[in-house]
């Protein structure tokens, strides 16, 4: 029998082969572990990116409910223009005229006058003709009421009345969405109404001042004007309460989810582009849903809403800032996707960047020929160009994040500012390269040229 060889291996076994087999097994285990880790990261990245795309429009809805519908100043500034909208004014005139409810018995008044004139010698035929003026008296009174109501609604005083009433009543708008608070705006079984009693009192006083004595008997009661009606309001209130709770934190959470999804991805540039486009598409879907909801609502108005045009104006005004936010998010997503594309390795991005660098170099050479130099600033810009670009991007992103209610114009303005800064940086860097190329070589040490 032969014993173990000098390497301590069992007889018939090559020690180098054993080591190779052991290394192969370890390599396979490490490879499998690495593959599992890559798959886990890819799945986690995909899930986080999808959640980000879905939650971006939800975050915009939460912000709209929290910062607009539940903020008194923002709400008042939103609904104030409604006081000058013709459709809303016409609806207000109609409702106030009904609320005033002046009633003059024209036939009785004409008959009394005719009977008195008969006692004074008026012929019977003339008295009968006078009695026939009763309906005309009723129509004249109604026309007078409508004219006065129109004058009140079209005056600047009505804008003040409208604004003040909405400011005082805003806690009831909060009640409409969250169930908290009361006020001149009432909510009952899906119907939101506004008390127009103040305007009714103004019309009543003007009628009395004009000599229409029956107006003194108009009772002092609260008159309601329907602003909005929906059978789904109860469900909307539940959703609004939830959105109110998460309204402050959801946008931050969405940003963190998106950043985590992009950082976990292997191709971060592509992941960022896909996240931006996915979020833009989700916002586009919600924007289309708002348009569909508007048409559906206006086509199914209940009888309580007396003016379709006024209802459309109210709907459009209340969702105006939501639409602006959705459009802004769509444009921002497209801008980010384009930005990530133009910093990539594609043929067009490389050509554009190359053309930009050549243009900057040509400009720097022209400036140097005309004794226009940037000195150390250009060299510094060339040395730290990547860092300066990154800081510029972060500053622009921070400005956008802190902008109060950004719009599409905000996005375009910031993009123009970013492009201008990058253009100036490219010119400075090109000037720095020209300075480096024109700088004389440093003298060598004694003896360097020997040997």
């Amino acid at each position: 029998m032969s014993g173990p060889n000098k390497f301590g291996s069992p007889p018939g076994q090559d020690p180098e082969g054993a080591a190779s087999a052991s290394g192969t097994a370890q390599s396979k285990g490490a490879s499998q572990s690495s593959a599992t880790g890559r798959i886990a990261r890819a799945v986690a990245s995909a899930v986080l990116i999808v959640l980000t795309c879905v939650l971006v429009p939800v975050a915009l809805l939460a912000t709209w409910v929290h910062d607009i519908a539940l903020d008194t100043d923002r709400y008042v500034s939103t609904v104030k223009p409604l006081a000058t909208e013709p459709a809303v004014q016409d609806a207000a005139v109609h409702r106030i005229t009904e609320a005033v409810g002046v009633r003059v018995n024209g036939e009785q008044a004409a008959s009394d006058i005719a009977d008195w004139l008969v006692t004074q010698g008026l012929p019977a035929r003339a008295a009968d003709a006078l009695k026939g003026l009763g309906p005309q008296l009723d129509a004249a009174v109604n026309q007078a009421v409508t004219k006065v109501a129109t004058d009140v609604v079209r005056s600047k005083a009505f804008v003040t009345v409208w604004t003040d009433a909405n400011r005082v009543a805003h806690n009831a708008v909060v009640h409409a969405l969250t169930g908290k608070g009361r006020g001149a705006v009432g909510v009952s079984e899906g119907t939101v109404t506004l008390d127009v009693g103040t305007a009714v009192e103004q019309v009543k006083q003007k009628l009395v001042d004009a000599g229409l004595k029956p107006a003194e008997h108009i009772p002092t009661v609260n008159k309601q004007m329907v602003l909005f009606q929906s059978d789904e309001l109860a469900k909307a209130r539940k959703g609004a309460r939830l959105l109110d709770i998460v309204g402050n934190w959801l946008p931050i959470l969405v940003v963190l989810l998106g950043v985590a999804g992009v950082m976990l991805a292997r191709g971060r540039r592509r992941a960022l582009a896909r996240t931006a486009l996915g979020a833009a598409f989700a916002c586009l879907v919600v924007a289309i849903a708002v348009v569909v909801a508007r048409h559906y609502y206006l086509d199914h108005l209940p009888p309580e809403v007396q003016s379709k045009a006024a209802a459309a104006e109210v709907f459009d005004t209340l969702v105006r800032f939501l639409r602006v936010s959705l459009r802004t998010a769509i444009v921002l997503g497209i801008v980010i996707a384009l930005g990530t594309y133009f910093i990539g390795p594609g043929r067009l991005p490389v050509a554009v960047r190359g053309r930009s660098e050549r243009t900057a170099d040509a400009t720097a050479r022209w400036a140097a020929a005309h004794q226009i130099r940037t000195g150390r600033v250009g060299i510094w810009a060339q040395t730290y160009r990547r860092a300066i670009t990154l800081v510029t991007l972060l500053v622009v992103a921070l400005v956008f994040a802190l902008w109060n209610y950004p719009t599409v114009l905000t996005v375009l303005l910031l993009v123009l500012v970013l492009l201008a800064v990058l253009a100036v940086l490219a010119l400075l860097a090109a000037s720095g390269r020209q300075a480096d190329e024109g700088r004389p070589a440093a003298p060598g040490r004694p003896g360097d040229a020997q040997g």
Side-chain angles (χ1 to χ4, degrees):
M1 290 180 63
S2 62
N5 57 30
K6 62 180 179 180
F7 295 101
S9 300
Q13 182 174 346
D14 184 5
E16 295 182 359
S20 176
S22 175
T24 302
Q26 292 178 358
S27 177
K28 288 183 178 179
S31 177
Q32 291 177 354
S33 175
S34 177
T36 303
R38 287 195 299 269
I39 293 174
R41 287 185 58 179
V43 172
S45 174
V47 171
L48 291 175
I49 289 175
V50 170
L51 280 176
T52 300
C53 296
V54 172
L55 290 178
V56 164
V58 177
L60 294 178
L61 284 168
T63 302
W64 173 68
V65 172
H66 187 271
D67 292 344
I68 297 176
L70 303 183
D71 182 273
T72 300
D73 293 335
R74 191 68 175 176
Y75 171 77
V76 170
S77 65
T78 300
V79 301
K80 183 178 179 179
L82 286 174
T84 58
E85 290 293 338
V88 176
Q89 288 181 339
D90 292 341
V93 168
H94 178 72
R95 188 67 192 95
I96 292 172
T97 301
E98 285 187 343
V100 169
V102 176
R103 294 292 181 267
V104 177
N105 192 333
E107 293 184 0
Q108 183 62 46
S111 178
D112 293 342
I113 294 174
D115 292 341
W116 179 79
L117 290 177
V118 167
T119 61
Q120 301 300 314
L122 183 71
R125 181 175 297 180
D128 291 339
L130 182 60
K131 291 179 180 180
L133 296 177
Q136 283 76 9
L137 287 177
D138 282 334
V141 170
N142 291 335
Q143 290 177 2
V145 172
T146 300
K147 182 180 183 303
V148 172
T150 301
D151 292 341
V152 169
V153 171
R154 299 289 168 85
S155 66
K156 294 181 179 180
F158 181 72
V159 177
T160 303
V161 170
W162 176 273
T163 303
D164 293 343
N166 277 281
R167 182 175 295 278
V168 173
H170 183 262
N171 64 333
V173 176
V174 176
H175 170 70
L177 293 174
T178 65
K180 302 176 183 178
R182 299 294 302 176
V185 175
V187 183
S188 177
E189 297 182 355
T191 302
V192 181
T193 57
L194 177 66
D195 183 11
V196 294
T198 302
V200 171
E201 290 300 318
Q202 289 186 356
V203 172
K204 172 182 174 180
Q205 186 59 44
K206 285 183 176 294
L207 291 173
V208 172
D209 294 343
L212 189 61
K213 297 301 182 181
E216 295 178 348
H217 304 292
I218 298 174
T220 304
V221 295
N222 292 331
K223 303 298 182 181
Q224 307 297 326
M225 175 180 174
V226 176
L227 291 179
F228 181 82
Q229 201 283 335
S230 174
D231 295 334
E232 302 296 323
L233 182 60
K235 297 179 181 179
R237 290 169 65 177
K238 294 179 181 178
R241 283 195 292 269
L242 177 61
L243 290 175
D244 182 30
I245 295 173
V246 302
N248 287 326
W249 300 104
L250 186 57
I252 299 175
L253 176 62
V254 171
V255 172
L256 294 177
L257 289 176
V259 171
V262 172
M263 295 302 294
L264 287 174
R266 292 190 63 186
R268 293 174 181 173
R269 184 181 60 82
R270 291 185 178 181
L272 177 59
R274 291 169 181 171
T275 303
L277 290 178
F281 178 75
C283 291
L284 178 61
V285 171
V286 175
I288 294 174
V290 171
V291 174
V292 173
R294 179 184 185 276
H295 287 288
Y296 180 84
Y297 169 68
L298 295 179
D299 291 339
H300 296 79
L301 285 175
E304 290 84 0
V305 180
Q306 299 171 339
S307 172
K308 183 176 181 178
E313 290 290 347
V314 172
F315 185 96
D316 292 341
T317 299
L318 291 178
V319 302
R320 181 179 60 190
F321 290 104
L322 176 60
R323 286 173 168 170
V324 169
S325 298
L326 291 171
R327 287 196 294 265
T328 303
I330 293 171
V331 173
L332 180 62
I334 294 174
V335 167
I336 292 176
L338 287 175
T340 56
Y341 170 72
F342 277 104
I343 64 174
R347 181 179 301 177
L348 178 60
V350 170
V352 170
R353 295 199 301 270
R355 181 61 180 271
S356 300
E357 290 298 317
R358 289 191 295 271
T359 301
D361 289 337
T363 304
R365 287 193 296 269
W366 177 88
H370 290 78
Q371 303 301 315
I372 302 175
R373 297 182 176 86
T374 58
R376 293 182 178 180
V377 175
I379 298 174
W380 180 81
Q382 168 64 13
T383 304
Y384 300 102
R385 183 176 181 180
R386 294 176 67 93
I388 297 173
T389 301
L390 179 60
V391 170
T392 303
L393 289 172
L394 292 177
V395 169
V396 170
L398 182 62
V399 170
F400 179 82
L402 297 179
W403 197 288
N404 190 23
Y405 301 107
T407 64
V408 173
L409 291 179
T410 305
V411 176
L412 297 179
L413 175 62
L414 292 179
V415 168
L416 291 176
V417 171
L418 176 61
L419 292 177
V421 172
L422 295 180
V424 171
L425 183 59
L427 291 174
L428 291 175
S431 178
R433 288 194 296 271
Q434 290 292 320
D436 281 339
E437 292 174 0
R439 183 184 302 173
R445 292 191 302 244
D448 285 351
Q450 300 177 359

